[in-house]
Amino acid sequence: MKLSNILTVVNQVEKSKFVNFLDRVCSEAIAHDKELAKKVRSLDGQIKNASSSEIVQLFQLVLPHFENSVKQHLSMLGAQAKLLVNIISRDGNSIARGSWIESLYSKEWELISKQAQESFAMLNEADFASDTFDEAKRLHIYHSCLSEAHQNDIRANREAKITDDERGILNILAEKLDITAEQQSALEHLVNQIPQTGALDCLNALREIGLVFIRRKDHTIFVADEVVSLLNRIEGKELADKHILRVLRTLSDAELSNILKSHGKRIRGVERPEKIKTILQMKLSVSSMLQNDICGTEANLNDRKERLKELISDLSLDLDKLGSTIDERTELIINSLNSCSDLEFNALSATGFKEMFSSLQVHLPDLTKTLQLEFEIEDNEPLTVDRLRALSITPHDILYVLSNDQVKDIRESMGLGKRGNARQMILESFADATDRLIDNYEALSQRDLAKLKAANIEIAEADIGVKFEETTKAIFEQLGLTVDEDLRKSVNTAKDKADILLSLSEDDVIIGEAKTCKNGDFAKYSTTSRQVKAYVNRCEAAGKRVAQVLIIAPSFSDDFIDSADTDTEINISLLEAKGLKLIYDAFKSRRNPKFTAKLFTKGGLLKADLIAKNI
C-alpha cells in the first residue's frame, strides 16, 4: 500500500511516530543542504499540521537522508531488527496483524537456528589442514572474520556490534567466498544469537524510526511500498522475491542447473520446482546470476549478452532500448521489474483483474491457499482482489506463482492458442473481455440483457450493476485517470460504499456513482443525494477535498437534472452513459488526446459531445 493511502487509514496518534522521525531527518538535512531547505520551505505550514499530501511530498524530498538515518538506526538495533526487516519487506507482509508477524518471526528464527546448528556441525567436523578449498573451509574463513568484527569491540571495552564499514567488508568477503545470504544469517546467529522473543517490542522500535505504522484498534502493521523499496536497498536486495521468481520461471531447466552448479549445489535427481525453491532460498545476487551463472562457464561474453536480450523478450519487458553491454542489459531488467507494478495494474482493468482471479480459482481450487503460502498472507479474512492490490500483488505476480505447466494447462482449457507467451495470452484474454463490456457500455447501463447476449456477453441480471460499475472504472483508467481502490476501501463502511473514487492529487478526489436503469430515465434524486453526501463526509473525514460528485446513468429525468443544479450542499455533475462512451471513443481515436478530469467538474448535465470534440 502506498504511503499516501496508509496515512488515510491511521489516525493522528498512529502516524505521529513517522511524522516525528521525518521531522527530525528534515531538520538535520536542511541544516546542510541549502537547495533542499529551499524546497522544504515551499511547503506550507508545520509538519505536525501538514496534510497527507504534504507529508508524502516531504518524504520524497528528503528520501536519501531518511534512508541514511534509517540505516544508522538499524545498525544500532542489532540482529533482531535485521530479521524483522527481512520479514516485513517480503512480498505479502506489508499489511498484517502483529500476531502474524510474530508467528513469522518465530518460524524464521527456528529456520536460522537449525541452519546455524548445521553450520556449526560442519565446522567442527571439517579438516582444515587439508588442501581442499571446500564449503567448510569457506564457511570457516567467513565465520572467523565475522567473529573478529564482533569481538574487537569487546576487547576495546565497547558495545559489541558490527559497523557499516565492517558489514561492507564482510559482504564483499561473502561474495568472493560464495557464502549465501542464508549462510551469512546462520553464521551470524552463531556469533551473536538473535533473541527468540521480543519481536513485538522490536516492531515498536522500528515504528520509532518511521518504518512501520501500527493501527491500535486491531494491532495491524502497515509498511508503505516506498519503505519496502528503501529497506530492499539497505539490505542490498536487487529484486523482490516475486520478481526473482519470474526470472527463474522463465529460465530453462539447464540454466537453473547452471546456477546451482555455480554454487556447489546438487543437481542430479533434483526436479525443477525444487531447483527454483533452492535458488530462492540462497538469496543470490541477481546481477551475478544473470551475468555469470545462467549460461555456464563455457559461454563467451556475446553469448551472455544475447541471452539477456532473449530474457527481456521472454519476460515481456517493454523497454525503449536493449542496452549494448551486459551491465546495461542487467540493469535494464532489474530496473524494469522494480518499477513494473503500476504498469501491470493499469494493463488490466479492475474488472479484468477480478474476472481473471475468479477464473483462475475455478481452474485451480487451491489458488487462494497457494497465494497465502507463497506470499505469507494471513488467512484471517477472505483473499480478494482489493486485498491483493493493497499488498501490491499484480495479476502478473499471480500468474508467475503458478508453474509453467499449470499456466499452459489453463491456457488450453480457456481455448487460447498454443503459440506465444502463455501468461501474456491469459492476461490479454481478460483485457479483451473488458473491451467487449466497454463496447456495449450503453446496453449495460440500460440492463439490456438481449443486446448483451447478442454481443456474446453472458451475464446474470443480478450482476449487471456491479459489472457496470467495474466497466466505468475501466473506462476511467483507459482515459488516464487514477481510480483509487485503496482509498475507496479505506473510506467505505458497511453502510456507506462509494462506487468510484478518482484521485486528482494527493488531497483532491472526485466521487463517482454508476447507476443502471432498465426503463426510462434515472429519477431517484433524493436517495442518490443522501448516498453521495454520506460519501463526501467520509472522504472529508479522511482529509480529502471532494472536487466534484459525478453521477453516470443511461439518462436523467428533468427533475433529477434540476435538483442537481440547485443543490447547494455539494457540486454534482451528471453524465449519460452514451456520453462517457463517446468521450472514450474520441480519446482512443486521437494520437495525442488532451483530456483532464477537470472536464468532469463543470457541474450539471455535461455536454459529452462538446468534451469529445475538444479532446
Side-chain angles (χ1 to χ4, degrees):
M1 187 180 282
K2 297 289 187 186
L3 175 60
S4 58
N5 291 323
I6 292 177
L7 292 172
T8 67
V9 299
V10 295
N11 62 35
Q12 196 64 37
V13 174
E14 291 160 350
K15 70 174 76 166
S16 62
K17 298 294 184 183
F18 176 84
V19 171
N20 290 341
F21 185 73
L22 180 61
D23 193 20
R24 290 199 301 273
V25 170
C26 190
S27 298
E28 293 170 6
I30 62 177
H32 307 288
D33 190 332
K34 292 182 180 179
E35 191 63 33
L36 176 64
K38 191 186 300 181
K39 291 178 181 177
V40 169
R41 290 192 190 101
S42 67
L43 297 175
D44 295 330
Q46 297 292 317
I47 185 171
K48 290 180 174 60
N49 302 317
S51 66
S52 294
S53 65
E54 288 172 331
I55 292 171
V56 172
Q57 287 177 56
L58 191 58
F59 173 78
Q60 291 168 344
L61 280 175
V62 302
L63 182 56
H65 303 279
F66 190 97
E67 187 170 326
N68 286 333
S69 188
V70 165
K71 191 174 182 180
Q72 291 169 13
H73 281 83
L74 283 177
S75 67
M76 292 185 286
L77 288 175
Q80 187 173 45
K82 184 180 179 182
L83 177 54
L84 266 175
V85 161
N86 180 262
I87 292 170
I88 63 174
S89 62
R90 288 205 298 253
D91 311 328
N93 292 341
S94 58
I95 305 173
R97 290 184 302 174
S99 57
W100 179 249
I101 298 294
E102 197 172 24
S103 69
L104 293 176
Y105 178 89
S106 297
K107 180 181 175 182
E108 192 77 9
W109 190 94
E110 293 290 344
L111 289 173
I112 290 175
S113 184
K114 182 182 177 184
Q115 178 78 23
Q117 290 168 16
E118 291 172 357
S119 298
F120 183 70
M122 182 186 292
L123 292 174
N124 279 342
E125 295 168 6
D127 178 13
F128 298 124
S130 71
D131 295 331
T132 307
F133 194 67
D134 56 9
E135 184 178 14
K137 188 166 283 189
R138 290 186 283 107
L139 290 178
H140 173 66
I141 293 170
Y142 183 81
H143 179 256
S144 299
C145 294
L146 188 66
S147 299
E148 178 63 21
H150 189 261
Q151 293 296 323
N152 60 16
D153 287 323
I154 296 174
R155 287 194 296 270
N157 200 24
R158 296 192 300 261
E159 181 187 355
K161 65 177 183 180
I162 297 173
T163 66
D164 280 349
D165 290 342
E166 290 170 333
R167 180 71 65 189
I169 294 169
L170 286 168
N171 287 341
I172 292 172
L173 182 64
E175 182 184 345
K176 299 302 181 185
L177 292 174
D178 200 13
I179 307 294
T180 66
E182 185 183 33
Q183 290 171 325
Q184 284 180 264
S185 297
L187 292 172
E188 190 158 349
H189 188 63
L190 284 177
V191 173
N192 182 26
Q193 191 176 69
I194 302 168
Q196 191 171 4
T197 59
L200 292 182
D201 290 336
C202 192
L203 269 175
N204 280 315
L206 297 182
R207 179 174 175 250
E208 293 285 339
I209 57 172
L211 295 184
V212 301
F213 295 84
I214 302 177
R215 190 166 62 193
R216 294 192 178 279
K217 67 178 180 180
D218 52 8
H219 204 64
T220 298
I221 312 297
F222 295 92
V223 188
D225 293 345
E226 296 92 331
V227 170
V228 170
S229 297
L230 176 153
L231 292 174
N232 284 341
R233 289 194 296 272
I234 289 175
E235 293 291 298
K237 195 172 181 180
E238 295 171 293
L239 284 177
D241 289 346
K242 64 182 182 181
H243 292 138
I244 298 174
L245 178 62
R246 284 193 200 189
V247 174
L248 298 180
R249 289 268 191 245
T250 308
L251 301 180
S252 68
D253 281 353
E255 289 170 331
L256 295 175
S257 294
N258 285 339
I259 296 170
L260 292 171
K261 279 192 295 185
S262 297
H263 299 276
K265 298 294 183 182
R266 184 172 63 89
I267 61 172
R268 190 177 297 277
V270 179
E271 297 295 326
R272 180 179 176 88
E274 190 60 30
K275 290 178 183 177
I276 290 174
K277 183 180 178 182
T278 302
I279 294 168
L280 282 171
Q281 289 174 340
M282 290 164 65
K283 302 184 187 302
L284 302 171
S285 160
V286 177
S287 296
S288 179
M289 184 170 68
L290 293 178
Q291 294 180 2
N292 304 316
D293 297 345
I294 62 175
C295 290
T297 55
E298 71 285 352
N300 60 35
L301 182 60
N302 283 335
D303 292 335
R304 297 174 194 276
K305 282 169 56 179
E306 190 61 30
R307 180 61 187 102
L308 292 186
K309 181 180 176 181
E310 292 171 2
L311 186 61
I312 290 169
S313 175
D314 294 340
L315 289 167
S316 301
L317 301 180
D318 186 15
L319 301 178
D320 295 331
K321 58 180 181 179
L322 293 177
S324 57
T325 68
I326 192 167
D327 287 334
E328 286 177 354
R329 288 182 181 177
T330 303
E331 187 177 357
L332 285 168
I333 291 171
I334 291 171
N335 290 343
S336 180
L337 289 172
N338 275 328
S339 60
C340 68
S341 289
D342 288 342
L343 290 173
E344 289 175 5
F345 278 128
N346 293 335
L348 208 58
S349 69
T351 303
F353 192 177
K354 288 180 180 178
E355 288 187 354
M356 188 196 88
F357 189 56
S358 297
S359 178
L360 291 179
Q361 286 177 308
V362 172
H363 291 288
L364 299 168
D366 291 335
L367 177 64
T368 294
K369 188 176 180 180
T370 299
L371 293 175
Q372 286 171 337
L373 288 172
E374 183 68 34
F375 293 109
E376 296 180 330
I377 302 171
E378 191 175 9
D379 60 357
N380 61 322
E381 58 181 275
L383 190 59
T384 62
V385 165
D386 286 342
R387 194 174 178 199
L388 290 168
R389 288 180 73 101
L391 293 168
S392 297
I393 297 171
T394 71
H396 295 66
D397 295 333
I398 294 171
L399 288 173
Y400 275 101
V401 164
L402 307 179
S403 70
N404 293 353
D405 289 338
Q406 285 176 310
V407 172
K408 288 174 183 175
D409 289 343
I410 292 169
R411 178 181 63 180
E412 288 180 19
S413 64
M414 290 176 64
L416 303 175
K418 294 185 178 181
R419 297 175 66 86
N421 186 315
R423 291 180 175 87
Q424 200 63 32
M425 292 173 73
I426 292 171
L427 289 163
E428 288 171 359
S429 72
F430 288 101
D432 291 343
T434 302
D435 289 341
R436 283 203 306 276
L437 287 170
I438 293 174
D439 289 340
N440 294 274
Y441 184 65
E442 189 176 0
L444 194 62
S445 73
Q446 296 168 340
R447 309 183 73 88
D448 191 337
L449 281 170
K451 196 169 183 179
L452 292 171
K453 192 170 184 179
N456 293 320
I457 298 173
E458 296 292 336
I459 183 171
E461 187 166 10
D463 296 332
I464 286 180
V466 173
K467 287 294 182 187
F468 182 62
E469 174 190 320
E470 292 176 347
T471 307
T472 304
K473 291 177 187 176
I475 291 175
F476 286 147
E477 287 173 342
Q478 297 273 355
L479 291 172
L481 304 179
T482 302
V483 178
D484 201 329
E485 286 296 290
D486 291 336
L487 177 61
R488 185 178 75 92
K489 186 179 178 184
S490 69
V491 301
N492 276 0
T493 65
K495 182 181 177 183
D496 301 321
K497 294 185 177 181
D499 289 346
I500 303 163
L501 281 180
L502 302 175
S503 285
L504 305 181
S505 65
E506 292 291 345
D507 286 330
D508 296 316
V509 298
I510 291 176
I511 295 174
E513 278 296 293
K515 302 293 186 182
T516 59
C517 185
K518 193 165 189 175
N519 296 307
D521 300 323
F522 189 70
K524 300 176 182 178
Y525 187 78
S526 60
T527 303
T528 304
S529 65
R530 281 197 301 271
Q531 286 179 328
V532 296
K533 286 171 186 175
Y535 307 152
V536 169
N537 291 336
R538 293 291 304 166
C539 286
E540 289 178 346
K544 301 295 180 181
R545 289 190 295 267
V546 179
Q548 197 77 9
V549 172
L550 175 65
I551 302 173
I552 303 102
S555 58
F556 300 92
S557 68
D558 291 340
D559 285 345
F560 195 103
I561 295 170
D562 290 342
S563 297
D565 283 339
T566 56
D567 197 318
T568 57
E569 294 184 49
I570 49 174
N571 299 319
I572 297 180
S573 294
L574 309 178
L575 182 58
E576 293 180 345
K578 63 182 177 183
L580 181 55
K581 179 63 166 54
L582 184 68
I583 293 168
Y584 169 83
D585 290 339
F587 183 89
K588 286 295 182 180
S589 67
R590 304 288 194 275
R591 177 174 293 180
N592 296 303
K594 296 177 181 179
F595 180 80
T596 170
K598 289 182 180 179
L599 293 169
F600 290 150
T601 63
K602 301 297 182 184
L605 182 62
L606 299 177
K607 296 180 180 179
D609 54 348
L610 190 60
I611 294 173
K613 185 178 179 181
N614 288 285
I615 287 178

